Amino acid sequence: MALVTPTSVSEVVRPTTQFPPSVWGHYFVNHLQDEAKLDQWTKRAGVLRRKVKEILKHAQGNPEEIYFLDAFNRLGLSYQFEKEINDALHRIHTTYSNDVDAGDLYSEATRFRVLREGGYKASTDVFEKFKDEQGKTFKKSLTEDVKGLLSLYEAAFLGIQGEYILDEAIAFTSEHLKSSLPNLDPLLAKQVQRALELPTHKRLPRVNVRYFISLYEEIDDKTSEDMRTLLEYAKLDFNLFQAVHERDKRMWWKENGLAEKLSYARNRVVECYVWNMSVAPEPHLSRARVFAAKTLSMISLTDDTYDAYGVYEELKQYTEAIERWDLAAMDELPEYLKPLYHELITLFKETEEELEREGYSYQIGYSKQALQDLCRAYFTEQEWYHNRYTPGTEEYIRVSLISSGYPAAFLLNMVCMKDASIEAFKWGNSRPRIVMASAELARFMDDLVSNEFEQQRGHVVSSIECFMKEKGMTRQEVEDLFKHFYDTAWKDINQACLRPTPFPMYILSKAVNLARVIDGWYICNDEDRYTFSGGSTKEMITALLVDPIPV
């Protein structure tokens, strides 16, 4: 097949794609926090933090301790008391295996989940006592305990390979929670409905925090004074988090007009920031978050260039320029691609100079390599499309896991993190299972929700077509297989987070949160919430970045 070598942009026959415009316009350029309120919240938070630390200390050894630890996590406060919480979990775990007969279903499931969330391999043996006499299924009497069923349901999604009792628990609790919905009081029904849509473990961390603050507030009159103190502190902390993101915004909203220059692509600067905020939400990671957000926004534009605008020869030139990684290569690019290339190379050069002064320049080297791998994968897919070639499933998966962007995103989210050692970057660059499991979620779930829209514009074959052609499967069979891949990937992610781990959780959590981003953007509403970012996506971002919680 002859290559198309255009003499001018106007002569090129390009894919036709109509992406929805940005729903934000210049809102975030003008949006500012109330400095007087921030000062007031900061002072009050300082007072409450001391009280909350005392609450955590006094809960030690108390039967209610596990519920306080759970509340700290769900309300987004664990990052402030890591040592105290880790010490408490270690102590609870040492007595866990000798205490298999204690507690009702709600208590046992809560304790199991909190330990697993903390990286401790709590044994599933504690759930055997809830099986019937034959040990084949869970006791029918449990169906009356909706609170216990919900707790078991949430806990079961932290399972790993071979923990069949947790698979059984998901099936059992799902069935009975669904059937119980019409008879529940509104507050419990709302909790059950949300969990059935997507369990807490798979949701975006900051979205969870906002939800649980709202939930705890609804039951505030039934809780202790300690819990009310914890709740007030969580509200203030959430609002102060927003102030951090406000400062981030002033750095990442760079008026370079890049999205306007590439008007064929999705303008999703705000969404890119929220994506990275979800991966690395901690307040002290502002610089890392801003770098990753800027880079991801350019990756998004690059992705659309390969998928929805560029023609073969132009994309070949751009891929070769990325390989050279030299501003001089810009002269050989089509005019419309020069601004994108210039911004990308300049961002990396400036960041590398900053990090070199601090002794962390190795971070840029590994990240640059990951971006080069990503563009090579993009171009390989365009070669398939150009040559009307349908790859085999193994070949497709090998390339498309890289083109998902997740192996690159994992490394990019560690850039400017002083705690991210060269060993951590080498490990991430080796594409460990936790990273590739997240990439599998991104690839297969993305293909499921965006395949029809992408094929309308003339897109490279997706994994769905590859499996249907090579394996002779129906679309429904492929979808069922992908759901199996999805479950397996999550179990492998859970396994990778159990102690002992090769690196601390602040490293591993980047891969876990990348997996959660996929579920948060796609699975809940079974649609591409990044491309179509109005509606529920805009509501989510407004709750995270715009609307403070009344205190």
Side-chain angles (χ1 to χ4, degrees), residues 420-436:
S421 64
I422 190 170
E423 289 77 17
F425 272 86
K426 287 180 179 178
W427 176 76
N429 191 54
S430 72
R431 297 170 188 162
R433 178 57 190 154
I434 188 173
V435 173
M436 299 314 289

Side-chain angles (χ1 to χ4, degrees), residues 1 13 102 107 136-137 140-142 167 178 193 216 226 229 239 252 270 280 292 365 378 399 401 460 475 480 489 493:
M1 183 180 291
V13 178
S107 302
K136 293 182 179 180
T137 187
K140 188 176 180 179
S141 60
L142 295 176
D167 297 334
K178 287 175 186 175
Q193 186 65 54
Y216 278 89
D226 284 348
T229 299
N239 292 345
W252 59 260
V270 175
Y378 284 158
V399 173
L401 291 186
V460 66
R475 183 182 176 93
D480 292 342
I493 290 170

Side-chain angles (χ1 to χ4, degrees), residues 283-296:
H284 69 282
L285 295 181
S286 283
R287 189 164 65 143
R289 194 161 43 243
V290 169
F291 173 81
K294 287 180 178 179
T295 308
L296 181 61

Side-chain angles (χ1 to χ4, degrees), residues 8-113:
S8 70
V9 171
S10 61
E11 297 175 8
V12 178
V13 178
R14 300 185 181 279
T16 55
T17 304
Q18 283 295 110
F19 290 122
S22 170
V23 298
W24 298 105
H26 293 281
Y27 173 83
F28 280 96
V29 176
N30 303 315
H31 181 256
L32 296 173
Q33 292 278 357
D34 185 329
E35 293 297 331
K37 265 190 178 176
L38 287 177
D39 185 57
Q40 179 184 347
W41 289 339
T42 300
K43 291 177 180 176
R44 177 61 177 164
V47 173
L48 289 175
R49 189 181 192 281
R50 292 188 289 273
K51 291 184 178 181
V52 168
K53 192 168 185 177
E54 284 300 309
I55 290 171
L56 190 58
K57 181 179 179 181
H58 292 150
Q60 183 174 330
N62 189 300
E64 300 296 311
E65 182 178 19
I66 198 70
Y67 306 115
F68 275 110
L69 296 175
D70 188 28
F72 270 78
N73 189 35
R74 290 188 161 190
L75 295 174
L77 300 174
S78 296
Y79 77 98
Q80 296 195 41
F81 305 95
E82 287 185 3
K83 184 181 185 307
E84 294 90 340
I85 290 175
N86 284 334
D87 289 347
L89 291 177
H90 178 73
R91 176 171 37 77
I92 292 169
H93 183 252
T94 58
T95 63
Y96 184 78
S97 59
N98 297 322
D99 201 21
V100 294
D101 294 325
D104 56 13
L105 180 60
Y106 174 78
S107 302
E108 291 290 11
T110 300
R111 183 172 59 159
F112 175 88
R113 175 175 52 78

Side-chain angles (χ1 to χ4, degrees), residues 277-325:
M277 182 193 84
S278 301
V279 175
E282 298 87 349
H284 69 282
L285 295 181
S286 283
R287 189 164 65 143
R289 194 161 43 243
V290 169
F291 173 81
K294 287 180 178 179
T295 308
L296 181 61
S297 66
M298 283 187 268
I299 288 175
S300 180
L301 295 171
T302 302
D303 185 20
D304 288 343
T305 300
Y306 277 88
D307 277 356
Y309 191 78
V311 295
Y312 183 86
E313 194 62 29
E314 295 171 348
L315 300 176
K316 182 178 180 181
Q317 292 170 340
Y318 189 79
T319 307
E320 290 171 349
I322 290 292
E323 293 280 7
R324 285 180 59 185
W325 204 268

Side-chain angles (χ1 to χ4, degrees), residues 225-390:
E225 183 178 346
D226 284 348
M227 286 301 297
R228 287 193 290 273
T229 299
L230 195 62
L231 178 58
E232 183 187 357
Y233 184 50
K235 292 177 184 179
L236 292 170
D237 187 70
F238 186 92
N239 292 345
L240 293 172
F241 247 97
Q242 282 191 336
V244 171
H245 301 318
E246 173 74 27
R247 290 192 292 271
D248 285 356
K249 179 265 293 180
R250 295 169 191 168
M251 292 188 281
W252 59 260
W253 193 289
K254 185 177 182 180
E255 287 297 323
N256 54 31
L258 192 56
E260 287 76 13
K261 292 172 186 176
L262 304 181
S263 58
Y264 58 83
R266 291 167 291 185
N267 181 352
R268 299 293 182 268
V269 178
V270 175
E271 290 79 3
C272 286
Y273 176 77
V274 174
W275 193 291
N276 286 284
M277 182 193 84
S278 301
V279 175
E282 298 87 349
H284 69 282
L285 295 181
S286 283
R287 189 164 65 143
R289 194 161 43 243
V290 169
F291 173 81
K294 287 180 178 179
T295 308
L296 181 61
S297 66
M298 283 187 268
I299 288 175
S300 180
L301 295 171
T302 302
D303 185 20
D304 288 343
T305 300
Y306 277 88
D307 277 356
Y309 191 78
V311 295
Y312 183 86
E313 194 62 29
E314 295 171 348
L315 300 176
K316 182 178 180 181
Q317 292 170 340
Y318 189 79
T319 307
E320 290 171 349
I322 290 292
E323 293 280 7
R324 285 180 59 185
W325 204 268
D326 183 349
L327 281 176
M330 190 171 66
D331 295 337
E332 301 172 17
L333 293 176
E335 284 300 317
Y336 78 96
L337 281 175
K338 288 180 179 180
L340 175 61
Y341 187 78
H342 181 272
E343 288 295 329
L344 184 62
I345 301 300
T346 301
L347 172 63
F348 270 66
K349 184 175 184 296
E350 291 175 351
T351 306
E352 185 173 30
E353 290 173 354
E354 290 179 21
L355 293 176
E356 189 169 19
R357 291 192 291 269
E358 301 170 19
Y360 302 103
S361 60
Y362 59 83
Q363 297 182 350
I364 288 294
Y366 285 103
S367 302
K368 179 175 71 176
Q369 181 183 333
L371 273 183
Q372 291 170 326
D373 290 343
L374 177 60
C375 287
R376 277 194 291 268
Y378 284 158
F379 184 65
T380 297
E381 292 180 342
Q382 285 309 307
E383 284 187 309
W384 294 343
Y385 179 68
H386 179 75
N387 295 318
R388 303 296 186 265
Y389 170 67
T390 302

